[in-house]
Amino acid sequence: SSHHPSVRDCRPMTVSPWDIALCVTGTLISCENAIVIAVLFYTPTLRAPMYILIGSLALADTLAGLGLILNFIFTYMLNTEFVTLISVGLLISAFSASVLNILAITVDRYLSLYNALTYHTERAVTFTYVIVALIWLVCVVLGSLPLLGWNCLRDEASCSVCRPVTKNNAVALAVTFLLVFALMMQLYFLICKIALRHAQQIAVQHHFVSISTTKGVSTLSAILCTFAVCWIPFAMYSIVADSSYPIIYTYATVLPATCNSVINPIIYAFRNPDIQKSLWLACCGCIPTNFSLRPRTSSDV
């Protein structure tokens, strides 16, 4: 069926299974990321630039999850133009912040390898807070555009695959996303180069190749592939399609994009040994014995 969510108020009892799936995903995203925020908030030792960025990413994803839940409630119970613009604005802000925070984490990883000696200073922390503030400022502005009149409610023909965002705005967001992705690929390529160079230097000194470096490089490729698989279908679809296309294609490309926010806390937070330690302490008041034996290395990416 090619009807739009806004038309559903005629038949309030038919709930699309796609909308239910998005709402369930939103609930999962909110719960997962709220745990990350709580752990970071209650662990005063986790205040390095990396943790500030992981916290900011978790906040963006939590808001994205709440946005999906609100979108469901508004679509089926409170379908007015104003709330539609509010929920779409929240989703644009949150998902933009999620993508930009992932870019910031990538830049942080590159800088911490590139300037390994000078990077972990007070200045780096201040710099990180400034970057996070800028990211959120940009995203709030992007999210408020539909509310300020950049929407297609008056001209249905100019709608994108995500009503009420105009086709031009959707294309601008999608192209920006593809540029961000290209920059991330470039940074990950440089990170791999530096990590492999470090590994070669160690290998020359100790006559062996560090397994952790190979593991680090494969982790990076997995992170990049996950990000690409989740977001690129929706970005490409937003560029080629418009509101006349069947809505099922929009749902089929939006759902994987939202799943990226389910995967983010697993990739960036729960894999981190220090966050794992805090989680163990919070849940059972103890730390497993094998934890203290694992030294951190520069390639723990």
Side-chain angles (χ1 to χ4, degrees), residues 191-300:
I191 290 170
C192 289
K193 241 169 68 173
I194 295 171
L196 291 170
R197 197 167 63 231
H198 284 187
Q200 271 176 331
Q201 288 164 355
I202 294 166
V204 167
Q205 289 161 4
H206 302 287
H207 310 292
F208 70 87
V209 174
S210 160
I211 292 167
S212 69
T213 304
T214 334
K215 191 171 147 256
V217 170
S218 60
T219 305
L220 287 182
S221 354
I223 290 173
L224 205 56
C225 288
T226 308
F227 187 67
V229 167
C230 288
W231 275 107
I232 285 182
F234 181 57
M236 300 305 278
Y237 184 64
S238 300
I239 293 171
V240 298
D242 58 42
S243 58
S244 64
Y245 284 58
I247 192 137
I248 186 147
Y249 297 137
T250 305
Y251 280 128
T253 51
V254 161
L255 199 57
T258 60
C259 286
N260 188 245
S261 296
V262 177
I263 300 165
N264 284 340
I266 299 166
I267 289 179
Y268 296 102
F270 299 137
R271 277 182 55 254
N272 181 291
D274 297 320
I275 291 177
Q276 282 179 15
K277 240 183 237 183
S278 296
L279 267 174
W280 275 105
L281 277 171
C283 295
C284 64
C286 60
I287 296 172
T289 42
N290 59 347
F291 251 97
S292 45
L293 305 174
R294 263 202 63 201
R296 294 300 308 272
T297 63
S298 68
S299 60
D300 271 351

Side-chain angles (χ1 to χ4, degrees), residues 32-218:
E32 255 188 304
N33 286 285
I35 293 170
V36 177
I37 293 171
V39 167
L40 291 172
F41 187 77
Y42 289 110
T43 315
T45 49
L46 304 180
R47 294 291 177 268
M50 179 173 61
Y51 298 111
I52 298 166
L53 294 172
I54 290 173
S56 178
L57 174 63
L59 177 61
D61 286 334
T62 306
L63 289 175
L66 291 173
L68 289 169
I69 298 167
L70 283 176
N71 191 52
F72 181 82
I73 294 169
F74 289 163
T75 302
Y76 290 102
M77 298 171 199
L78 243 175
N79 205 334
T80 68
E81 278 188 8
F82 181 70
V83 291
T84 303
L85 293 173
I86 291 280
S87 71
V88 164
L90 175 59
L91 288 170
I92 291 173
S93 289
F95 282 113
S96 303
S98 181
V99 169
L100 289 178
N101 275 301
I102 292 175
L103 175 64
I105 289 172
T106 314
V107 173
D108 172 73
R109 286 177 172 174
Y110 170 68
L111 290 176
S112 62
L113 273 177
Y114 186 73
N115 305 326
L117 299 173
T118 56
Y119 186 64
H120 301 282
T121 58
E122 270 306 304
R123 221 169 80 218
V125 174
T126 313
F127 175 69
T128 308
Y129 276 119
V130 170
I131 292 298
V132 166
L134 281 175
I135 286 174
W136 282 100
L137 183 67
V138 168
C139 294
V140 166
V141 169
L142 285 175
S144 56
L145 290 179
L147 203 57
L148 298 173
W150 296 50
N151 62 63
C152 64
L153 293 175
R154 301 281 165 272
D155 176 19
E156 291 292 329
S158 68
C159 278
S160 69
V161 292
C162 277
R163 188 182 182 279
V165 179
T166 64
K167 169 77 181 182
N168 291 348
N169 282 17
V171 169
L173 283 170
V175 169
T176 308
F177 164 78
L178 292 172
L179 292 172
V180 165
F181 180 68
L183 180 55
M184 276 178 66
M185 279 180 69
Q186 177 66 28
L187 284 165
Y188 273 135
F189 176 69
L190 292 171
I191 290 170
C192 289
K193 241 169 68 173
I194 295 171
L196 291 170
R197 197 167 63 231
H198 284 187
Q200 271 176 331
Q201 288 164 355
I202 294 166
V204 167
Q205 289 161 4
H206 302 287
H207 310 292
F208 70 87
V209 174
S210 160
I211 292 167
S212 69
T213 304
T214 334
K215 191 171 147 256
V217 170
S218 60

